[in-house]
Amino acid sequence: MESSWRCIRDMLRLKATFRKFITLLAWELEEIPYLLLGTIVFSTTIYVLYPGVSHSAGSLRIGELIERDSLKFKASIQDYLFYPSLIIDAIEPLAAFLAGILFATNVARTFENKELQTLLTCPVKRTHVILSKFCVNYSILYISSAIPFLLDMILLGISSLSLDIYIWLLILAFPILFACSLAIFISVTLKMSAFSAVLPPLIYFGLSKALDTSSEKTYMLLYSKWDEKLFKAIQDWITLQSVPQMGVEFLYIFLYRFLLPVLLLAFSVIYFDKILQLD
């Protein structure tokens, strides 16, 4: 009987914690300036669908279109096979740039204007505060990138019910995670909006340049071919065609594309919760 009451109490506490976190998410979303939100949505949409980036628009421009039906464009199979990976590669540097601006506004600036200190006077946990900021910013960047990405694939002639679309949308989450984890790490540790806005894209381009200089093969794997390899592995696993071979290449992809961002986020949360002193 006592264990049953303990279980009920734990469930009620968990429900109350969840409600507080949802309230924090809603509050953080309301605090995002509408001008910044509109700029992010506008820039990602224009960038992804721009003829120089968009493969469906490129097909119209270079005459590779084979069928046009209202707003649905069907390109060749060759276009489709190489298209989504190229778009994700193009989105990644933009995500690093926008993540720096977004986290500088929503995280670093709250240190400068003392807004964060005011928020922490409320009965909320530090962990919930920093995670709510990350979740809101990540969701904004992912959704603003995923919608034009999805639209472009549909314009290319890929069915919205196709499994491939959802695999590519899942893969898109990884570069957004990398950009946001790097941005929140810089914002929490430096607490200065100017550096928080500038450093994420600089570090991203610095890492890619360093890898390109040191090992072209590693650069191609981590910045060019990783999404294609991951797509093929997920597709084979879901369709049960074969068991993905987790070799050294997949280990590099896992370490760089998943483990490193998760560690940056975990360190940021721990540093904010346990170490950071607010004036």
Side-chain angles (χ1 to χ4, degrees), residues 223-255:
Y223 279 89
S224 181
K225 300 297 183 182
W226 72 273
D227 41 8
E228 297 176 15
K229 291 180 179 294
L230 189 58
F231 171 82
K232 188 67 170 61
I234 295 175
Q235 187 183 52
D236 289 345
W237 178 70
I238 292 178
T239 58
L240 301 178
Q241 292 181 4
S242 64
V243 179
Q245 299 298 319
M246 301 302 176
V248 177
E249 290 186 344
F250 275 97
L251 178 62
Y252 280 137
I253 293 172
F254 173 78
L255 291 176

Short mmCIF file of all heavy atoms in Angstrom, two decimals, residues 223-255:
data_model
loop_
_atom_site.label_atom_id
_atom_site.label_comp_id
_atom_site.label_asym_id
_atom_site.label_seq_id
_atom_site.Cartn_x
_atom_site.Cartn_y
_atom_site.Cartn_z
N TYR A 223 31.74 15.84 -43.53
CA TYR A 223 31.06 17.05 -44.02
C TYR A 223 30.36 16.86 -45.36
O TYR A 223 29.61 17.74 -45.77
CB TYR A 223 32.05 18.21 -44.13
CG TYR A 223 32.32 18.88 -42.82
CD1 TYR A 223 33.34 18.44 -41.99
CD2 TYR A 223 31.55 19.96 -42.38
CE1 TYR A 223 33.59 19.05 -40.77
CE2 TYR A 223 31.80 20.57 -41.17
CZ TYR A 223 32.81 20.11 -40.38
OH TYR A 223 33.05 20.71 -39.16
N SER A 224 30.59 15.76 -46.04
CA SER A 224 30.00 15.61 -47.36
C SER A 224 29.25 14.29 -47.52
O SER A 224 28.11 14.28 -47.99
CB SER A 224 31.09 15.71 -48.44
OG SER A 224 30.54 15.60 -49.72
N LYS A 225 29.84 13.18 -47.10
CA LYS A 225 29.26 11.87 -47.36
C LYS A 225 28.51 11.27 -46.17
O LYS A 225 27.87 10.24 -46.29
CB LYS A 225 30.36 10.89 -47.78
CG LYS A 225 31.10 11.30 -49.05
CD LYS A 225 30.19 11.35 -50.26
CE LYS A 225 30.95 11.69 -51.53
NZ LYS A 225 30.06 11.78 -52.70
N TRP A 226 28.62 11.92 -44.99
CA TRP A 226 28.06 11.32 -43.79
C TRP A 226 26.55 11.13 -43.89
O TRP A 226 26.01 10.09 -43.46
CB TRP A 226 28.39 12.19 -42.57
CG TRP A 226 27.63 13.47 -42.52
CD1 TRP A 226 27.97 14.66 -43.11
CD2 TRP A 226 26.37 13.70 -41.87
NE1 TRP A 226 27.01 15.61 -42.86
CE2 TRP A 226 26.02 15.05 -42.10
CE3 TRP A 226 25.52 12.91 -41.11
CZ2 TRP A 226 24.86 15.63 -41.61
CZ3 TRP A 226 24.35 13.47 -40.61
CH2 TRP A 226 24.04 14.82 -40.86
N ASP A 227 25.84 12.12 -44.45
CA ASP A 227 24.39 12.03 -44.51
C ASP A 227 23.94 10.97 -45.52
O ASP A 227 22.94 10.29 -45.29
CB ASP A 227 23.77 13.39 -44.85
CG ASP A 227 24.55 14.14 -45.91
OD1 ASP A 227 25.47 13.56 -46.50
OD2 ASP A 227 24.24 15.31 -46.15
N GLU A 228 24.69 10.81 -46.62
CA GLU A 228 24.34 9.76 -47.58
C GLU A 228 24.52 8.37 -46.97
O GLU A 228 23.69 7.48 -47.15
CB GLU A 228 25.21 9.89 -48.83
CG GLU A 228 24.98 11.18 -49.60
CD GLU A 228 25.93 11.31 -50.78
OE1 GLU A 228 26.53 10.28 -51.16
OE2 GLU A 228 26.06 12.41 -51.33
N LYS A 229 25.62 8.18 -46.24
CA LYS A 229 25.88 6.89 -45.60
C LYS A 229 24.85 6.60 -44.52
O LYS A 229 24.37 5.46 -44.38
CB LYS A 229 27.29 6.87 -45.01
CG LYS A 229 28.41 6.87 -46.06
CD LYS A 229 29.77 6.84 -45.40
CE LYS A 229 30.87 6.81 -46.45
NZ LYS A 229 30.85 5.54 -47.23
N LEU A 230 24.49 7.63 -43.75
CA LEU A 230 23.50 7.44 -42.70
C LEU A 230 22.13 7.15 -43.29
O LEU A 230 21.38 6.31 -42.77
CB LEU A 230 23.45 8.70 -41.81
CG LEU A 230 22.62 8.60 -40.54
CD1 LEU A 230 23.11 7.47 -39.65
CD2 LEU A 230 22.68 9.94 -39.78
N PHE A 231 21.79 7.84 -44.37
CA PHE A 231 20.52 7.60 -45.05
C PHE A 231 20.42 6.15 -45.52
O PHE A 231 19.40 5.48 -45.31
CB PHE A 231 20.36 8.55 -46.24
CG PHE A 231 19.18 8.24 -47.12
CD1 PHE A 231 17.91 8.68 -46.77
CD2 PHE A 231 19.34 7.51 -48.28
CE1 PHE A 231 16.82 8.39 -47.57
CE2 PHE A 231 18.25 7.22 -49.09
CZ PHE A 231 17.00 7.66 -48.74
N LYS A 232 21.47 5.68 -46.17
CA LYS A 232 21.46 4.30 -46.69
C LYS A 232 21.37 3.30 -45.55
O LYS A 232 20.63 2.30 -45.65
CB LYS A 232 22.74 4.06 -47.49
CG LYS A 232 22.76 2.73 -48.24
CD LYS A 232 21.73 2.72 -49.34
CE LYS A 232 21.90 1.50 -50.27
NZ LYS A 232 21.75 0.22 -49.58
N ALA A 233 22.06 3.55 -44.44
CA ALA A 233 22.03 2.62 -43.31
C ALA A 233 20.64 2.58 -42.68
O ALA A 233 20.12 1.50 -42.37
CB ALA A 233 23.07 3.04 -42.27
N ILE A 234 20.02 3.75 -42.48
CA ILE A 234 18.68 3.80 -41.89
C ILE A 234 17.66 3.15 -42.82
O ILE A 234 16.78 2.40 -42.39
CB ILE A 234 18.29 5.25 -41.57
CG1 ILE A 234 19.20 5.82 -40.49
CG2 ILE A 234 16.83 5.32 -41.11
CD1 ILE A 234 18.97 7.29 -40.20
N GLN A 235 17.78 3.44 -44.11
CA GLN A 235 16.86 2.86 -45.09
C GLN A 235 16.95 1.34 -45.12
O GLN A 235 15.93 0.64 -45.12
CB GLN A 235 17.16 3.44 -46.47
CG GLN A 235 16.15 3.04 -47.54
CD GLN A 235 16.55 3.58 -48.90
OE1 GLN A 235 17.67 3.37 -49.35
NE2 GLN A 235 15.63 4.28 -49.56
N ASP A 236 18.18 0.82 -45.12
CA ASP A 236 18.35 -0.63 -45.12
C ASP A 236 17.82 -1.26 -43.84
O ASP A 236 17.23 -2.36 -43.86
CB ASP A 236 19.83 -0.98 -45.29
CG ASP A 236 20.34 -0.66 -46.69
OD1 ASP A 236 19.50 -0.45 -47.58
OD2 ASP A 236 21.57 -0.60 -46.87
N TRP A 237 18.04 -0.58 -42.71
CA TRP A 237 17.58 -1.12 -41.44
C TRP A 237 16.06 -1.15 -41.35
O TRP A 237 15.47 -2.13 -40.88
CB TRP A 237 18.16 -0.29 -40.30
CG TRP A 237 17.70 -0.75 -38.96
CD1 TRP A 237 18.03 -1.91 -38.31
CD2 TRP A 237 16.80 -0.06 -38.07
NE1 TRP A 237 17.41 -1.97 -37.09
CE2 TRP A 237 16.64 -0.86 -36.91
CE3 TRP A 237 16.13 1.15 -38.15
CZ2 TRP A 237 15.83 -0.47 -35.85
CZ3 TRP A 237 15.32 1.54 -37.09
CH2 TRP A 237 15.17 0.73 -35.96
N ILE A 238 15.41 -0.07 -41.82
CA ILE A 238 13.94 0.00 -41.74
C ILE A 238 13.30 -0.99 -42.69
O ILE A 238 12.32 -1.68 -42.34
CB ILE A 238 13.46 1.44 -42.03
CG1 ILE A 238 13.89 2.38 -40.90
CG2 ILE A 238 11.94 1.48 -42.17
CD1 ILE A 238 13.51 3.82 -41.11
N THR A 239 13.83 -1.07 -43.89
CA THR A 239 13.25 -1.98 -44.89
C THR A 239 13.73 -3.42 -44.74
O THR A 239 13.33 -4.29 -45.50
CB THR A 239 13.58 -1.48 -46.30
OG1 THR A 239 15.01 -1.39 -46.45
CG2 THR A 239 12.97 -0.11 -46.54
N LEU A 240 14.63 -3.64 -43.75
CA LEU A 240 15.14 -4.99 -43.46
C LEU A 240 15.86 -5.62 -44.65
O LEU A 240 15.90 -6.84 -44.80
CB LEU A 240 14.00 -5.92 -43.02
CG LEU A 240 13.21 -5.47 -41.77
CD1 LEU A 240 12.09 -6.45 -41.48
CD2 LEU A 240 14.14 -5.34 -40.58
N GLN A 241 16.45 -4.75 -45.49
CA GLN A 241 17.20 -5.27 -46.63
C GLN A 241 18.54 -5.86 -46.19
O GLN A 241 18.99 -6.86 -46.73
CB GLN A 241 17.43 -4.16 -47.66
CG GLN A 241 16.15 -3.70 -48.35
CD GLN A 241 16.43 -2.62 -49.38
OE1 GLN A 241 17.58 -2.27 -49.64
NE2 GLN A 241 15.37 -2.10 -49.98
N SER A 242 19.15 -5.19 -45.22
CA SER A 242 20.43 -5.69 -44.71
C SER A 242 20.70 -5.04 -43.37
O SER A 242 20.11 -4.01 -43.04
CB SER A 242 21.58 -5.40 -45.69
OG SER A 242 21.75 -3.99 -45.83
N VAL A 243 21.61 -5.60 -42.62
CA VAL A 243 22.01 -5.03 -41.34
C VAL A 243 23.16 -4.05 -41.59
O VAL A 243 24.17 -4.43 -42.19
CB VAL A 243 22.47 -6.11 -40.35
CG1 VAL A 243 22.93 -5.48 -39.04
CG2 VAL A 243 21.35 -7.11 -40.11
N PRO A 244 23.01 -2.75 -41.20
CA PRO A 244 24.07 -1.78 -41.44
C PRO A 244 25.39 -2.22 -40.80
O PRO A 244 25.41 -2.68 -39.66
CB PRO A 244 23.54 -0.49 -40.79
CG PRO A 244 22.06 -0.69 -40.71
CD PRO A 244 21.86 -2.15 -40.53
N GLN A 245 26.48 -2.08 -41.55
CA GLN A 245 27.80 -2.42 -41.04
C GLN A 245 28.38 -1.23 -40.28
O GLN A 245 28.70 -0.20 -40.88
CB GLN A 245 28.72 -2.82 -42.20
CG GLN A 245 28.24 -4.04 -42.98
CD GLN A 245 28.18 -5.29 -42.12
OE1 GLN A 245 29.07 -5.53 -41.30
NE2 GLN A 245 27.14 -6.08 -42.31
N MET A 246 28.48 -1.33 -38.97
CA MET A 246 28.98 -0.23 -38.14
C MET A 246 30.50 -0.31 -38.03
O MET A 246 31.04 -0.86 -37.08
CB MET A 246 28.32 -0.30 -36.74
CG MET A 246 26.82 -0.22 -36.77
SD MET A 246 26.22 1.29 -37.56
CE MET A 246 24.45 1.01 -37.55
N GLY A 247 31.18 0.21 -39.04
CA GLY A 247 32.63 0.19 -39.06
C GLY A 247 33.22 1.47 -38.51
O GLY A 247 32.57 2.24 -37.79
N VAL A 248 34.46 1.73 -38.88
CA VAL A 248 35.16 2.91 -38.41
C VAL A 248 34.50 4.19 -38.90
O VAL A 248 34.41 5.18 -38.18
CB VAL A 248 36.64 2.85 -38.86
CG1 VAL A 248 37.38 4.13 -38.45
CG2 VAL A 248 37.33 1.63 -38.29
N GLU A 249 33.99 4.17 -40.13
CA GLU A 249 33.35 5.36 -40.68
C GLU A 249 32.13 5.76 -39.85
O GLU A 249 31.94 6.94 -39.54
CB GLU A 249 32.96 5.13 -42.13
CG GLU A 249 34.15 5.05 -43.08
CD GLU A 249 33.73 4.96 -44.52
OE1 GLU A 249 32.53 4.65 -44.77
OE2 GLU A 249 34.55 5.21 -45.42
N PHE A 250 31.32 4.77 -39.49
CA PHE A 250 30.14 5.08 -38.67
C PHE A 250 30.53 5.52 -37.27
O PHE A 250 29.82 6.30 -36.64
CB PHE A 250 29.20 3.87 -38.61
CG PHE A 250 28.27 3.78 -39.77
CD1 PHE A 250 28.55 2.97 -40.85
CD2 PHE A 250 27.10 4.53 -39.80
CE1 PHE A 250 27.69 2.90 -41.94
CE2 PHE A 250 26.24 4.47 -40.88
CZ PHE A 250 26.53 3.65 -41.95
N LEU A 251 31.65 5.02 -36.78
CA LEU A 251 32.13 5.47 -35.48
C LEU A 251 32.50 6.95 -35.53
O LEU A 251 32.15 7.71 -34.62
CB LEU A 251 33.35 4.64 -35.05
CG LEU A 251 34.00 5.04 -33.72
CD1 LEU A 251 33.02 4.88 -32.57
CD2 LEU A 251 35.26 4.21 -33.47
N TYR A 252 33.19 7.37 -36.58
CA TYR A 252 33.53 8.78 -36.75
C TYR A 252 32.27 9.64 -36.85
O TYR A 252 32.17 10.71 -36.24
CB TYR A 252 34.38 8.97 -38.01
CG TYR A 252 35.84 8.65 -37.84
CD1 TYR A 252 36.53 7.92 -38.80
CD2 TYR A 252 36.54 9.05 -36.70
CE1 TYR A 252 37.87 7.60 -38.65
CE2 TYR A 252 37.88 8.74 -36.54
CZ TYR A 252 38.54 8.03 -37.51
OH TYR A 252 39.87 7.72 -37.35
N ILE A 253 31.30 9.17 -37.63
CA ILE A 253 30.04 9.91 -37.80
C ILE A 253 29.31 10.03 -36.46
O ILE A 253 28.80 11.09 -36.10
CB ILE A 253 29.15 9.22 -38.85
CG1 ILE A 253 29.80 9.33 -40.24
CG2 ILE A 253 27.75 9.84 -38.86
CD1 ILE A 253 29.08 8.52 -41.30
N PHE A 254 29.25 8.93 -35.70
CA PHE A 254 28.58 8.94 -34.39
C PHE A 254 29.27 9.91 -33.43
O PHE A 254 28.61 10.70 -32.75
CB PHE A 254 28.57 7.53 -33.81
CG PHE A 254 28.06 7.46 -32.40
CD1 PHE A 254 26.71 7.53 -32.14
CD2 PHE A 254 28.94 7.34 -31.33
CE1 PHE A 254 26.23 7.49 -30.83
CE2 PHE A 254 28.48 7.30 -30.02
CZ PHE A 254 27.12 7.37 -29.78
N LEU A 255 30.60 9.86 -33.39
CA LEU A 255 31.34 10.72 -32.47
C LEU A 255 31.17 12.19 -32.82
O LEU A 255 30.96 13.02 -31.94
CB LEU A 255 32.83 10.35 -32.48
CG LEU A 255 33.21 9.00 -31.87
CD1 LEU A 255 34.69 8.73 -32.05
CD2 LEU A 255 32.84 8.95 -30.40
#
